[in-house]
């Protein structure tokens, strides 16, 4: 447990200030990262606000890069933040002190608001995530804004209408005409709520049916993904020939949390083996040069030795030369027949941009890959995050861009289909951008926050 509650507003200001005092509440690692992207843009503005943070889930390590003071207690729960997907995870968190932690955090927010009020400062709260930080903000007594990362209308509908669902409980998700329930919309429509930033255009459109100050400014998840290399020049004289001879590149996304990521990796490698076998079949539509490169986008917190063991068992051997340029001199390179596999922990953006398609068992990384206009093939795992329920929900969120299979060996026929009918890739590209938005959302949200919160 890390208790930084001794840090208070007095450490930044001994008296009243004209600068906005902004408290950021978020509930998850992904939400922390989205908050940080917005805060970085706020800090680039003239006369930026004084910023404080309180991560409601985890230790909020993302905030450390901005050297922000945390106003209350933080602790990593046993579930890792995935209590909404499994009731057993909630029980584990309650036993691990979730209720006392939540109460301490509520008190910390109240103390912060009270101290700013006594100092005569202008104060506001930015809530990032779901109803939990939104509730904290609503009952804080301060003006607030909400970045809704957890919900999207795409979970229940597309631009045509409601999605067909087999589960009877699915009607509950949209019983009031929106993925956001009436009590959530009430929290967003109260006078102190000055701005709501949904994650996509469709959700914004639906929320505007009620008196909610919703703004369609994009999804910060698509910010900060620039590759290390310049874009290819497709108008060059030999562009068509280069496209013919280049290898097919498949990005592998096992997730970031151990031990789940290691289990996911074993399933992904079964899919890789099946894919390689499919390419050797006589009726394969694989490009004539027959070379494929797999890029493992591995989180820094994972142990590549464990991943390497799985590779070696399946016949992969370390190789010296790299088949492609990757901005990671420490990447591990393996070779198996006419295929290469690279494990990189420091070239995440390049792995996303270079991949033609992905084999994915991740949350945020899968959505970012799809947002770049590319298809991802998903395999449900055993969780706690990437389990069948999560994968099915993600397939609704991402639509045609995410192809869900129930067995890793089926990845080969999906890839063959994508290569055989390339026209579908254009529809997938358009769908991915539509659902995930264009880069620059963090700056657009930061600018609107200054307008709405002062």
């Amino acid at each position: 447990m890390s208790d930084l509650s001794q840090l208070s507003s007095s450490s930044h200001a001994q008296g009243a200030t004209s600068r906005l005092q902004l408290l950021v509440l978020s509930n998850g690692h992904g939400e922390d990262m989205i908050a940080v992207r917005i805060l970085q843009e706020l800090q680039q503005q003239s006369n930026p606000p004084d910023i404080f943070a309180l991560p409601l889930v985890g230790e909020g390590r993302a905030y450390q890069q901005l050297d922000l003071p945390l106003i209350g207690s933080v602790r990593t729960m046993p579930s890792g933040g995935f209590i909404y997907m499994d009731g057993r995870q909630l029980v584990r968190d309650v036993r691990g002190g979730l209720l006392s932690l939540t109460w301490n955090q509520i008190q910390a927010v109240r103390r912060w608001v009270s101290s700013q009020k006594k100092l005569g400062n202008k104060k506001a709260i930015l809530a990032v995530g779901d109803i939990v930080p939104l509730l904290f903000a609503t009952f804080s007594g301060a003006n607030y804004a909400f970045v809704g990362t957890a919900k999207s209308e795409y979970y229940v509908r597309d631009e045509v209408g409601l999605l067909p669902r087999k589960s009877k409980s699915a009607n509950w998700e949209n019983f009031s005409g929106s993925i956001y329930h009436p009590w959530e919309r009430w929290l967003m429509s109260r006078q102190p709520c000055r701005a709501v930033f949904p994650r996509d255009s469709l959700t914004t459109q639906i929320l505007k049916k009620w008196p909610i100050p919703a703004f369609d400014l994009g999804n910060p998840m698509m910010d900060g993904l620039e590759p290390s290399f310049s874009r290819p020049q497709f108008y060059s004289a030999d562009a068509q020939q280069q496209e013919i001879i280049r290898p097919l590149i498949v990005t592998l996304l096992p997730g970031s949390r151990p031990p789940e990521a290691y289990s996911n990796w074993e399933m992904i490698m079964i899919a890789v083996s099946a894919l390689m076998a499919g390419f050797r079949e006589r009726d394969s539509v694989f490009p004539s040069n027959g070379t494929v490169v797999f890029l493992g986008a591995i989180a820094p917190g994972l142990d590549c030795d464990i991943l390497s063991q799985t590779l070696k068992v399946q016949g992969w051997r370390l190789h010296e030369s790299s088949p492609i340029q990757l901005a990671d001199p420490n990447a591990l390179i393996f070779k198996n027949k006419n295929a290469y596999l690279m494990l990189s922990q420091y070239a995440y953006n390049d792995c996303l941009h270079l991949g033609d398609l992905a084999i994915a068992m991740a949350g945020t990384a899968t959505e970012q890959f799809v947002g770049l206009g590319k298809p991802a093939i998903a395999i449900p795992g055993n969780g706690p995050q990437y389990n069948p329920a999560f994968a099915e929900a993600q397939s609704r969120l991402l639509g045609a861009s995410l192809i869900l299979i129930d067995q890793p060996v089926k990845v080969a026929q999906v890839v063959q289909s994508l290569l055989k009918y390339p026209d579908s890739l254009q529809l997938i590209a358009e769908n991915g951008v539509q659902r995930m938005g264009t880069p620059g959302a963090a700056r657009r949200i930061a600018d609107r926050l200054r307008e709405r919160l002062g």
Side-chain angles (χ1 to χ4, degrees), residues 390-427:
F390 184 97
E392 189 277 332
Q394 191 181 55
S395 71
R396 285 184 273 119
L397 173 68
L398 300 177
S401 298
L402 187 71
I403 304 161
L404 189 61
I405 58 177
D406 57 4
Q407 296 292 332
V409 294
K410 294 183 179 180
V411 72
Q413 64 189 63
V414 174
V415 174
Q416 292 280 14
S417 177
L418 289 171
L419 295 176
K420 191 174 182 179
Y421 303 103
D423 288 350
S424 64
L425 296 177
Q426 181 60 36
L427 296 176

Side-chain angles (χ1 to χ4, degrees), residues 143-166:
N143 290 336
Y144 58 94
F146 175 53
V147 180
T149 64
K151 286 195 171 185
S152 167
E153 290 295 332
Y154 283 115
Y155 282 119
V156 296
R157 73 180 79 234
D158 57 19
E159 283 75 13
V160 177
L162 291 175
L163 302 176
R165 304 284 296 282
K166 296 179 180 179

Side-chain angles (χ1 to χ4, degrees), residues 187-242:
L187 298 175
M188 290 185 276
S189 63
R190 298 183 75 250
Q191 189 275 335
C193 183
R194 300 305 174 85
V196 172
F197 306 103
R199 57 175 291 152
D200 52 63
S201 300
L202 181 61
T203 307
T204 306
Q205 175 186 333
I206 296 296
L207 285 180
K208 283 187 174 180
K209 294 180 179 180
W210 293 275
I212 294 172
F215 299 92
D216 180 20
L217 301 182
N219 190 337
M221 283 175 59
M222 297 310 300
D223 290 350
L225 296 179
E226 296 78 11
S228 65
F229 52 85
S230 58
R231 301 289 182 178
Q233 303 299 315
F234 291 108
Y235 52 79
S236 61
D238 62 345
Q240 185 173 357
Q241 180 62 22
Q242 290 294 323

Side-chain angles (χ1 to χ4, degrees), residues 195-310:
V196 172
F197 306 103
R199 57 175 291 152
D200 52 63
S201 300
L202 181 61
T203 307
T204 306
Q205 175 186 333
I206 296 296
L207 285 180
K208 283 187 174 180
K209 294 180 179 180
W210 293 275
I212 294 172
F215 299 92
D216 180 20
L217 301 182
N219 190 337
M221 283 175 59
M222 297 310 300
D223 290 350
L225 296 179
E226 296 78 11
S228 65
F229 52 85
S230 58
R231 301 289 182 178
Q233 303 299 315
F234 291 108
Y235 52 79
S236 61
D238 62 345
Q240 185 173 357
Q241 180 62 22
Q242 290 294 323
E243 182 65 18
I244 292 174
I245 65 173
R246 77 172 182 85
L248 178 73
I249 301 177
V250 180
T251 300
L252 309 178
L253 303 172
S256 60
R257 291 173 173 83
E260 179 182 0
Y262 301 129
S263 176
N264 290 349
W265 182 251
E266 292 181 0
M267 293 185 68
I268 287 174
M269 289 312 302
I270 294 173
V272 166
S273 296
L275 184 56
M276 292 172 61
F279 288 150
R280 291 192 290 271
E281 294 177 359
R282 186 171 298 177
D283 60 347
S284 172
V285 294
F286 186 62
S288 58
N289 73 327
T291 302
V292 59
V293 178
F294 297 97
L295 297 179
I298 309 304
L302 297 180
D303 187 343
C304 279
D305 288 340
I306 297 177
L307 305 178
S308 298
Q309 281 301 118
T310 302

Side-chain angles (χ1 to χ4, degrees), residues 320-367:
E320 291 185 0
S321 59
S322 174
I324 59 174
Q325 294 298 315
L326 199 64
D328 182 0
N330 297 316
L332 297 176
I333 306 165
F334 295 83
K335 194 173 190 299
N336 186 354
K337 297 183 175 64
N338 62 333
Y340 295 85
L341 193 151
M342 303 176 68
L343 297 180
S344 173
Q345 294 182 294
Y346 300 100
Y348 174 74
N349 290 5
D350 287 0
C351 289
L352 294 188
H353 280 272
L354 288 169
D356 297 299
L357 57 99
I359 302 174
M361 299 181 70
T364 298
T366 303
E367 295 174 27

